[in-house]
């Protein structure tokens, strides 16, 4: 039951990432997705691609900011005091909490 408790705990506690500016369940701590390269656009064209993976990109895409897209993943970053307290709990039980 210990494993079940901590897995559920990680799914119901959320934090906000200072890198991607999204809220995420603590269990997804290692899944801050991003593109390591900026998209490239042709002159006078609003569509382009990410050179790192070939995914399509739109120059003025407001949804891209809110989406969870990217071809690479890193750890989410947290800076608020409550988030740091949660991070202390997570770091001591990371193998049970994170996916």
């Amino acid at each position: 039951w210990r494993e079940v408790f901590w897995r559920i705990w990680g799914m119901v506690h959320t934090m906000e990432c200072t890198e991607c500016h999204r809220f995420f369940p603590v269990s997804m701590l290692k899944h801050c997705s991003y593109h390591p390269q900026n998209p490239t656009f042709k002159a006078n064209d609003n569509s382009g691609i990410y050179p790192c993976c070939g995914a399509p990109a739109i120059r003025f895409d407001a949804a891209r900011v809110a989406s969870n897209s990217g071809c690479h993943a890193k750890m989410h970053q947290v800076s608020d005091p409550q988030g740091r307290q949660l991070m202390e709990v997570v770091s001591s039980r990371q193998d049970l909490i994170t996916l």
Side-chain angles (χ1 to χ4, degrees), residues 32-95:
C32 183
S33 62
Y34 69 101
H35 290 285
Q37 296 176 305
N38 290 326
T40 58
F41 299 97
K42 295 178 184 172
N44 299 322
D45 194 359
N46 287 332
S47 62
I49 63 162
Y50 287 95
C52 49
C53 64
I58 300 173
R59 190 181 303 268
F60 303 107
D61 187 6
R64 182 181 72 200
V65 174
S67 73
N68 190 15
S69 68
C71 59
H72 285 72
K74 59 184 175 183
M75 299 245 327
H76 285 286
Q77 301 297 313
V78 180
S79 65
D80 64 274
Q82 182 181 8
R84 288 183 188 199
Q85 286 179 327
L86 284 175
M87 288 299 290
E88 289 177 20
V89 173
V90 172
S91 65
S92 66
R93 295 169 179 87
Q94 192 167 358
D95 58 325

Side-chain angles (χ1 to χ4, degrees), residues 2 4-5 12-13 15 22 24-25 39 47 50-51 54 56 62 66 70 73 76 80-82 85-86 92-93 96 98:
R2 179 177 172 232
V4 173
F5 171 82
V12 299
H13 286 83
M15 294 188 276
R22 291 186 293 253
F24 65 95
S47 62
Y50 287 95
H76 285 286
D80 64 274
Q82 182 181 8
Q85 286 179 327
L86 284 175
S92 66
R93 295 169 179 87
L96 297 172
T98 60

Side-chain angles (χ1 to χ4, degrees), residues 5-14 24-28 97 99:
F5 171 82
W6 285 111
R7 186 56 52 94
I8 292 171
W9 185 92
M11 291 177 174
V12 299
H13 286 83
T14 60
F24 65 95
V26 175
S27 61
M28 300 298 285
I97 297 172
L99 300 175

